[in-house]
Amino acid sequence: MSSSLPIHSPHCVVGVIGGGQLGRMIALAARRLGVRTVIWTGGLEAPAVECADEVIDLPFDDAQALQDFCSRVTVSTVEFENIPRETLEAVARSTGLHPSPSAIAICQNREREKNFLREMQIPHTPFAVVASAADLAVAMRELGGPGVLKTADFGYDGKGQIKLEGHEDPAEVWAKFDAPRAVLEAWVPFEKELSVMAARGADGSIVTYDPAENRHRNHILDLSIVPARISPAVKLEAAAIARRVAEALDYRGILGVEFFLKTDGELLVNEIAPRPHNSGHHTLDACVTSQFAQQLRAVIGLPLGSTRLLTPVVMLNLLGDFWQDETTPPDWLPLFEDREISLHLYGKRHARGRRKMGHANIIGTTTEAALARAEALKARWLAEGAGAGE
Ligand code: AMP
């Protein structure tokens, strides 16, 4: 493939903007390939730091950092999307950035994301854009019934969201809601939440992973169950929609498409993540190619790897509330005694209630068997954990 870099050359250095656990797992996948990484992160305690070859520890709008980063890398990617547009554009011009700044810009803002889905006629939750109390009044009337008001920028894991029953006073709600722009979404009484990881390569070829069935706890991903317990038709439809999203964004790299599956079988896109995603962590132990290795292949310009699922699996997120106190992890012994669980920790020194500290991939002969073991571990750790505070 003409656009691929020679991976074993010292000139193949992948730059990663962001230093969280996703960056850490990209860096680990790069190590296995003998590819060097430069991580640009906001703080030296970031999870990716100890796994990277080089680190730039300066804000994402720092001109010197930008110059340093671009001079050290051959090609770049992001591990989270809230990066200033100017930085993304400059990196793209200098090193090549996959996914592109325009794809990231669409996914980093709910208003742009929803408008994109509407324009592309990709099924999505009914919504209205809100920039004032008057807009909110109109939006509440038009959508009718319950909804969720979400900030346009910087929202994730349920942050910057409030549920509305539909009878609140719009002026009061808007006065309390601390954001200049928002999106009001209709409340979707879904049967399940699903996600599909898809990757699009340098040559435009697309692969998709088996859909994951996702369960949340306090708005944060708790468990992903793969294969999802859904009909073959819904599986095909979810994969087809993820492909359409990747095509429409002219995407290069891995992306996660999150869905609501309604009781009537209809799929609606909720969100698009322009990067590896928490609901793809099972691919580390249960698929031929992990989502992180896949990202590197796409970014470097190598052919994409197989997405084949090798075994049923449940990914259990290890949140800080399993920790006995801020620095004492749960008792790992029952996990290791199981023998079919892989533990992945992100090296975070301090646990807080909602913080993602790691995950465990629990494989089994059936999803039900894996799920039962995941639930047992979770119940035990929640009972023993002090629920390290927020
Ligand atoms: P988000 O940050 O938009 O992914 O929302 C976090 C979680 O809140 C989702 O995974 C759903 O469980 C729930 N949620 C968000 N939007 C809606 C909606 N329009 N209808 C029903 N549940 C929602």
Side-chain angles (χ1 to χ4, degrees):
M1 201 179 285
S2 59
S3 56
S4 77
L5 295 165
I7 56 170
H8 291 298
S9 126
H11 303 300
C12 182
V13 182
V14 174
V16 181
I17 312 180
Q21 58 265 18
L22 301 175
R24 177 186 178 96
M25 290 183 271
I26 293 173
L28 289 171
R31 280 264 156 94
R32 288 180 58 174
L33 285 175
V35 167
R36 296 175 58 77
T37 53
V38 176
I39 300 275
W40 185 354
T41 173
L44 284 178
E45 275 214 19
V49 166
E50 60 196 18
C51 302
D53 294 281
E54 291 181 60
V55 176
I56 293 176
D57 168 32
L58 284 167
F60 297 121
D61 56 0
D62 184 280
Q64 187 57 46
L66 175 67
Q67 207 178 21
D68 271 5
F69 181 79
C70 292
S71 68
R72 293 190 212 178
V73 311
T74 9
V75 67
S76 303
T77 189
V78 293
E79 68 95 52
F80 92 123
E81 56 269 42
N82 289 327
I83 315 271
R85 177 81 189 246
E86 302 71 43
T87 303
L88 296 174
E89 299 278 3
V91 171
R93 276 194 304 274
S94 170
T95 76
L97 177 69
H98 310 298
S100 68
S102 55
I104 297 167
I106 288 171
C107 305
Q108 76 184 175
N109 173 283
R110 281 188 207 277
E111 182 180 344
R112 285 197 287 272
E113 188 174 72
K114 299 272 182 215
N115 285 331
F116 160 81
L117 293 169
R118 182 184 272 165
E119 267 164 43
M120 294 295 159
Q121 300 183 332
I122 292 168
H124 56 275
T125 43
F127 74 97
V129 173
V130 175
S132 66
D135 287 351
L136 182 59
V138 175
M140 286 172 74
R141 227 178 9 253
E142 278 178 1
L143 287 181
V148 196
L149 187 63
K150 303 181 176 182
T151 54
D153 274 317
F154 303 120
Y156 65 95
D157 288 343
K159 290 188 185 157
Q161 298 190 9
I162 44 169
K163 169 133 197 246
L164 299 180
E165 295 309 326
H167 48 67
E168 294 84 351
D169 173 15
E172 238 172 67
V173 172
W174 190 248
K176 273 197 245 147
F177 199 69
D178 186 22
R181 292 185 82 81
V183 165
L184 179 66
E185 265 180 43
W187 183 255
V188 180
F190 55 78
E191 187 189 316
K192 281 187 162 102
E193 289 187 82
L194 305 174
S195 58
V196 172
M197 299 307 303
R200 187 159 176 268
D203 61 356
S205 59
I206 299 179
V207 293
T208 58
Y209 287 83
D210 266 62
E213 175 183 337
N214 300 322
R215 288 203 334 221
H216 292 79
R217 183 160 66 89
N218 302 328
H219 295 282
I220 301 179
L221 185 65
D222 179 23
L223 290 166
S224 290
I225 303 161
V226 192
R229 295 161 302 174
I230 52 177
S231 71
V234 170
K235 277 188 191 175
L236 284 176
E237 179 64 9
I241 293 174
R243 278 175 176 272
R244 277 174 61 200
V245 170
E247 292 276 4
L249 288 171
D250 192 18
Y251 200 85
R252 177 161 158 194
I254 191 120
L255 89 170
V257 181
E258 294 182 72
F259 296 94
F260 296 132
L261 173 62
K262 289 172 47 189
T263 37
D264 63 4
E266 192 189 2
L267 281 166
L268 300 178
V269 173
N270 172 33
E271 267 190 326
I272 308 165
R275 50 174 168 75
H277 189 254
N278 197 166
S279 67
H281 289 356
H282 66 280
T283 60
L284 282 163
D285 298 298
C287 291
V288 174
T289 312
S290 79
Q291 61 168 344
F292 304 101
Q294 197 74 280
Q295 176 70 333
L296 286 168
R297 283 170 173 255
V299 169
I300 293 170
L302 297 167
L304 298 177
S306 162
T307 57
R308 186 154 59 88
L309 182 70
L310 300 169
T311 169
V313 59
V314 168
M315 189 284 310
L316 172 64
N317 252 354
L318 305 175
L319 301 185
D321 58 1
F322 290 173
W323 263 238
Q324 296 178 25
D325 60 44
E326 205 182 271
T327 51
T328 314
D331 176 10
W332 298 127
L333 195 61
L335 178 148
F336 285 112
E337 280 175 343
D338 184 300
R339 297 175 23 163
E340 290 209 328
I341 305 184
S342 300
L343 176 64
H344 299 259
L345 291 174
Y346 307 148
K348 297 182 183 176
R349 310 239 186 293
H350 299 279
R352 286 189 297 277
R354 290 163 57 94
R355 200 166 192 209
K356 292 175 180 170
M357 304 298 289
H359 67 272
N361 285 333
I362 299 157
I363 65 169
T365 43
T366 62
T367 47
E368 267 62 29
L371 188 55
R373 283 150 56 222
E375 294 286 16
L377 279 176
K378 195 176 118 185
R380 179 171 182 158
W381 288 334
L382 278 178
E384 288 171 1
E390 281 292 296

